[in-house]
Amino acid sequence: MSDISTSAARVRFVLVRTSQPGNIGAAARAIRTMGFSRLVLVAPQRYPDPEATAFASGADTVLDQAVVVPDLRSAIADCRTVYGATARQRAVALQEFTPREVAPRVHDAALAGGEIALVFGNERTGLENDELALCHGAVHIPAAPDYSSLNLAQAVQVLAYELRVAFLGNPSAPAPHRTDPVASAGQMEGFFEHLSTTLDDIEFHKGRSPETIMLRLRKLFLRAQPDERELRVLRGILADAQRMARLARPR
């Protein structure tokens, strides 16, 4: 397998709550033409479906190997880099990139050996805020503001094309050196649950909104992308804070 193929094999395109099976097939065709093959479907409304096969136009291997899961957390649990495509700013504050800006970042993550997910929402509503909160960053296609009506498969095609250009332009760059792998999305979610519980145990909020605090902390730690060893240290600190909180409580 070539360097490009190896890197491309680490990238998955995740379609969330897709309503039209034709869009699934067209997305399969879009990624196949750019050298990608991994498609994950989160709770599709209709799949498998003959319409998906028809719109795939021969990209049958992508559909045959597509993975269907019930929720986004399952789709990205082993990923170390996750970007969500969104057409507009949401309540979740994420660092935002164009497809051209995000492509080298995906390439570097692939060279480093991590699993990467590019996530696309429902055709009508896009990604919900709780789904975007699972992502490390947002990708926004700078379409014409007076008519920005890209359909799902077109958005997938734009990102797949930019990724291919980035992968072809620098296929043998040295991988960024990290002693330990970046923590996966599943490991980060376990950490966030531990962090939320610890903040409650130490009575941190004191009238402040727990949701707002957690959103800001999620943004901070997702941007930092701690590795597995760093995450173990952080969770050790949380465990000690919980132990001290228990000792401080009146018997």
Side-chain angles (χ1 to χ4, degrees):
M1 188 179 289
S2 69
D3 290 339
I4 294 174
S5 298
T6 302
S7 296
R10 296 193 176 106
V11 179
R12 70 189 68 172
F13 290 77
V14 181
L15 309 185
V16 181
R17 296 174 285 101
T18 311
S19 60
Q20 298 298 322
N23 285 330
I24 295 174
R29 178 183 182 180
I31 67 173
R32 181 67 185 87
T33 59
M34 295 294 114
F36 300 94
S37 61
R38 297 178 65 190
L39 188 64
V40 180
L41 308 175
V42 176
Q45 292 186 21
R46 287 166 48 201
Y47 188 82
D49 191 279
E51 186 178 318
T53 304
F55 276 75
S57 298
D60 296 336
T61 55
V62 176
L63 293 182
D64 292 343
Q65 296 170 9
V67 177
V68 181
V69 296
D71 53 58
L72 182 56
R73 288 176 187 262
S74 302
I76 63 172
D78 62 333
C79 291
R80 303 189 186 279
T81 305
V82 182
Y83 291 105
T86 179
R88 57 193 182 278
Q89 286 282 3
R90 298 294 192 106
V92 180
L94 288 175
Q95 189 173 4
E96 192 169 293
F97 305 93
T98 66
R100 190 155 298 179
E101 291 169 340
V102 86
R105 292 171 174 265
V106 172
H107 184 223
D108 288 346
L111 287 172
E115 290 286 317
I116 305 107
L118 298 173
V119 184
F120 301 81
N122 172 267
E123 295 94 329
R124 186 176 64 84
T125 59
L127 291 171
E128 302 293 342
N129 287 338
D130 61 337
E131 293 164 341
L132 276 172
L134 301 175
C135 302
H136 295 101
V139 185
H140 174 69
I141 298 173
D146 59 335
Y147 189 71
S148 57
S149 183
L150 281 169
N151 72 23
L152 173 59
Q154 288 172 329
V156 170
Q157 184 75 81
V158 170
L159 264 72
Y161 168 76
E162 291 292 349
L163 290 185
R164 182 160 180 82
V165 170
F167 283 31
L168 287 172
N170 193 18
S172 59
H177 177 71
R178 296 191 72 138
T179 304
D180 293 282
V182 174
S184 69
Q187 290 168 328
M188 290 301 298
E189 288 309 306
F191 167 71
F192 288 133
E193 291 173 7
H194 193 177
L195 177 59
S196 177
T197 302
T198 303
L199 294 179
D200 290 337
D201 288 347
I202 65 174
E203 301 179 1
F204 173 80
H205 298 298
K206 296 182 176 64
R208 291 169 290 203
S209 166
E211 293 79 12
T212 300
I213 294 296
M214 280 305 302
L215 281 174
R216 289 177 177 172
L217 289 173
R218 288 185 71 96
K219 179 182 177 183
L220 168 64
F221 285 109
L222 287 174
R223 184 173 66 242
Q225 287 194 284
D227 61 37
E228 293 179 351
R229 183 177 301 184
E230 291 166 339
L231 207 61
R232 287 195 295 270
V233 171
L234 289 170
R235 295 199 67 164
I237 293 171
L238 296 180
D240 272 359
Q242 289 177 305
R243 181 175 60 82
M244 295 303 294
R246 287 193 296 270
L247 291 173
R249 292 191 192 109
R251 294 185 180 275

